[in-house]
Amino acid sequence: MDPKYIRNFAIIAHIDHGKSTLSDRLLEMTGSLTAREMQAQVLDAMDLERERGITIKAHSVRMMYTARDGQTYQLNLIDTPGHVDFSYEVSRSLASCEGALLVVDASQGVEAQTLANAYLAINNGLEIIPVINKIDLPSADIPRTKEMIEQAVGLPADHAVPVSAKTGLGVDEILESIVHLLPHPKGHSDAPLQALIFDSWFDAYRGVIVLARIINGRMYKGQKIKLMSNGKVFDIENLGVLTPKPVEIESLSAGEVGFFVATIKNVADTKIGDTVTDANHPATGMLPGFEDIKSMVFAGLYTVDSHEHTLLRDALEKLRLNDSSFFFEPESSAALGFGFRCGFLGLLHMEIIQERLEREFNLDLITTAPGVRYKITMTDGSVLEVDNPSRWPDVTSIEKIEEPIITAMIMTNEEYVGGILKLVEEKRGKQKNFEYITPTRVMLTYELPLNEIVLDFYDRLKSVSRGYASLDYHLTGTWVSPMVKMDILVSGEPVDALSIIVHRDVAYERGKALVHKMKELIPRQMFEVAIQAAIGSKIVARETVTAIRKNVIAKCYGGDISRKRKLLEKQKEGKKRMKRIGKVDIPQEAFLAVLKIG
Ligand code: GDP
Ligand code: MG
């Protein structure tokens, strides 16, 4: 299609402001789905997304729209996640668009991710159409929302479109605005092929599927393509577009978005941000691609059954293709055996990865206590980067420790400021800015140690503000801090996978809280189990899990076989996500106890 009649746009918003619902309405109004195919939030295809009601992956859909001027346009919609952990997905999506719809909930107003995502879009040079959503709600305040868009985001709001994504009211105006206000793509179909890979995933039946935006040139069935980062050559077997059903087509040309399947066998060959070109008529240069993403949170990942270790490696490789924002490398633990050290964008991301590995690959996993990466200068002048507490060097050889610092932007209503200030204080925060964006709405800027944020900060913030505070953050520097390693001993033996790094001033308190929580989480065994927290050789806290004697089989008196089997199966179920260390069964929750004591 002539690029003049193509519009590529993303929908960006704070979480829950209605992106997915709006996508549904746009699909319905352009006739992309019949009423029978329509189910709520069609684009959130993963079970996990539906259950949690959040979008994790960006999605891309082609719609055809005949505008009021009679011209038919091809609209490529990219739905994006809103949670701070997934902003990487957002920025990737934006790189394949010329415009964005910035959705703002008229009953909530501008939130932290509204701002963060709007800035991402502005920095990517996108044209933005503000959409004021949920105007069907009695609490909707259109003039105030417009004021906040102008004041806080700094975008003119005169062409903002008021809509209800739920009822469909006003949504047809969005379609007209897309066609008339957003620029069309600028590429040339007769130039050598340059396509930007912005997503890929592994399909059990079709193999590696790649989503790409064609910047210049043409892609067609049977074409020999070359991946410019590694020079590997493949044949295009199939290509198509998502409508959102996959529909095969013969070719894709400049400005279009679609998927292709090539003779790619190795999942690791496709790299997000890579440029695809024609092997016989290659382009001279690569597209800018994407910034490498930095992991913020690190944890060990182990299979409950150590025989499944290679299955886990396989699963990680496949999942990484779909989510290039996490990293992994082999590690081993004296307590847990062979596993992987993984880096994530945040805690929610870590939870999602663990859950996807378990569901999509049928694995039972244990995640160790999450932490951040420290830079340690040794007395001999050498510098180490340590994200695994079991690699923490001996204190006597440490010169200085630097911990990662984030700058956090918190948006809230005036009445919650008091509680939030107390919380950030407790978390070692330093105030950078305090600003009223409307008479009742406040924007706080703080520097905080990432180490404090990855634990339970988000939940605590939600609770002190009764949900009326939103948060966005990014890494901005380091502080030199007196961090210490705290070991946890189970029955007198240190368990490397339970060690954590804490600030010296809170170590004693955290140690006490941690062993107390573990005592609650470790089930009683046939014998007494001591749990101790220690810094170096100094024990700072101790609790005891008392013994029980319980033999469920004995109660069956050898009678009913099937009942016996059921009981055994039930016991086995209960053992899932438990790891035996020495003689003690330790459940997943105990490894994550550090998250529950902030
Ligand atoms: P997302 O996180 O931005 O994708 O938001 P969703 O589309 O999942 O919507 C979040 C919630 O807001 C859901 O419960 C929707 O039903 C609801 N919602 C979305 N749009 C509207 C609207 O226009 N009016 C009302 N009343 N509710 C809406
Ligand atoms: Mg959504």
Side-chain angles (χ1 to χ4, degrees), residues 87-196:
S87 63
Y88 182 57
E89 288 275 333
V90 179
S91 53
R92 273 180 14 212
S93 310
L94 295 184
S96 34
C97 297
E98 282 76 37
L101 304 179
L102 177 68
V103 179
V104 184
D105 181 332
S107 68
Q108 302 279 330
V110 168
E111 296 281 4
Q113 262 85 50
T114 316
L115 260 189
N117 288 331
Y119 289 159
L120 273 178
I122 293 167
N123 290 339
N124 274 279
L126 268 56
E127 190 64 40
I128 298 176
I129 302 171
V131 172
I132 299 176
N133 190 28
K134 307 200 187 181
I135 58 167
D136 59 292
L137 291 176
S139 53
D141 187 338
I142 302 175
R144 200 182 126 245
T145 310
K146 280 194 174 175
E147 188 192 329
M148 285 175 78
I149 291 172
E150 295 191 333
Q151 292 281 320
V153 191
L155 282 174
D158 47 333
H159 63 291
V161 195
V163 304
S164 166
K166 189 173 174 182
T167 67
L169 180 70
V171 175
D172 49 343
E173 286 306 322
I174 297 182
L175 289 165
E176 286 295 313
S177 296
I178 290 172
V179 163
H180 295 296
L181 299 179
L182 299 185
H184 62 77
K186 302 253 154 15
H188 300 283
S189 292
D190 36 13
L193 174 67
Q194 279 181 309
L196 178 70

Side-chain angles (χ1 to χ4, degrees), residues 16 18-21 41 44 53-55 79-82:
D16 278 346
K19 290 180 303 287
S20 302
T21 311
Q41 315 217 327
D44 287 345
I54 55 171
T55 308
D79 184 24
T80 60

Side-chain angles (χ1 to χ4, degrees), residues 258-361:
F259 68 84
F260 68 84
V261 176
T263 46
I264 304 173
K265 291 284 173 306
N266 189 352
V267 293
D269 281 340
T270 55
K271 193 170 144 258
I272 301 222
D274 199 355
T275 305
V276 183
T277 193
D278 188 312
N280 297 323
H281 308 280
T284 46
M286 282 181 73
L287 298 165
F290 306 112
E291 251 177 75
D292 265 342
I293 183 92
K294 276 204 195 86
S295 298
M296 303 256 233
V297 177
F298 300 84
L301 209 52
Y302 292 83
T303 51
V304 169
D305 179 348
S306 46
H307 300 296
E308 288 184 340
H309 176 252
T310 47
L311 293 180
L312 176 57
R313 175 195 297 277
D314 231 44
L316 284 167
E317 267 164 18
K318 284 186 179 142
L319 200 58
R320 199 186 130 74
L321 180 73
N322 188 228
D323 180 351
S324 61
S325 59
F326 86 99
F327 110 103
F328 63 94
E329 64 189 20
E331 78 168 7
S332 63
S333 147
L336 300 177
F338 291 106
F340 295 92
R341 193 74 195 161
C342 301
F344 307 96
L345 302 179
L347 269 194
L348 177 63
H349 187 217
M350 174 177 115
E351 259 179 59
I352 299 280
I353 296 281
Q354 183 175 6
E355 237 180 286
R356 288 188 68 185
L357 286 167
E358 296 196 327
R359 285 177 185 216
E360 294 169 28
F361 301 93

Side-chain angles (χ1 to χ4, degrees), residues 1-137:
M1 193 173 214
D2 183 338
K4 246 171 52 195
Y5 303 115
I6 300 174
R7 299 289 181 276
N8 295 312
F9 67 100
I11 306 186
I12 54 179
H14 189 72
I15 193 157
D16 278 346
H17 281 201
K19 290 180 303 287
S20 302
T21 311
L22 181 61
S23 310
D24 286 359
R25 283 298 84 68
L26 293 173
L27 286 175
E28 199 177 63
M29 288 193 173
T30 53
S32 306
L33 289 172
T34 62
R36 208 173 49 105
E37 288 167 326
M38 200 69 211
Q39 48 172 333
Q41 315 217 327
V42 267
L43 295 186
D44 287 345
M46 266 194 271
D47 287 348
L48 205 56
E49 291 182 313
R50 289 175 170 282
E51 280 165 32
R52 293 190 176 221
I54 55 171
T55 308
I56 299 165
K57 292 293 301 176
H59 304 278
S60 142
V61 189
R62 176 188 285 194
M63 302 177 280
M64 299 310 284
Y65 171 63
T66 303
R68 287 181 198 146
D69 63 10
Q71 180 62 49
T72 298
Y73 292 85
Q74 178 194 118
L75 310 182
N76 293 306
L77 174 164
I78 299 184
D79 184 24
T80 60
H83 190 280
V84 56
D85 279 14
F86 305 116
S87 63
Y88 182 57
E89 288 275 333
V90 179
S91 53
R92 273 180 14 212
S93 310
L94 295 184
S96 34
C97 297
E98 282 76 37
L101 304 179
L102 177 68
V103 179
V104 184
D105 181 332
S107 68
Q108 302 279 330
V110 168
E111 296 281 4
Q113 262 85 50
T114 316
L115 260 189
N117 288 331
Y119 289 159
L120 273 178
I122 293 167
N123 290 339
N124 274 279
L126 268 56
E127 190 64 40
I128 298 176
I129 302 171
V131 172
I132 299 176
N133 190 28
K134 307 200 187 181
I135 58 167
D136 59 292
L137 291 176

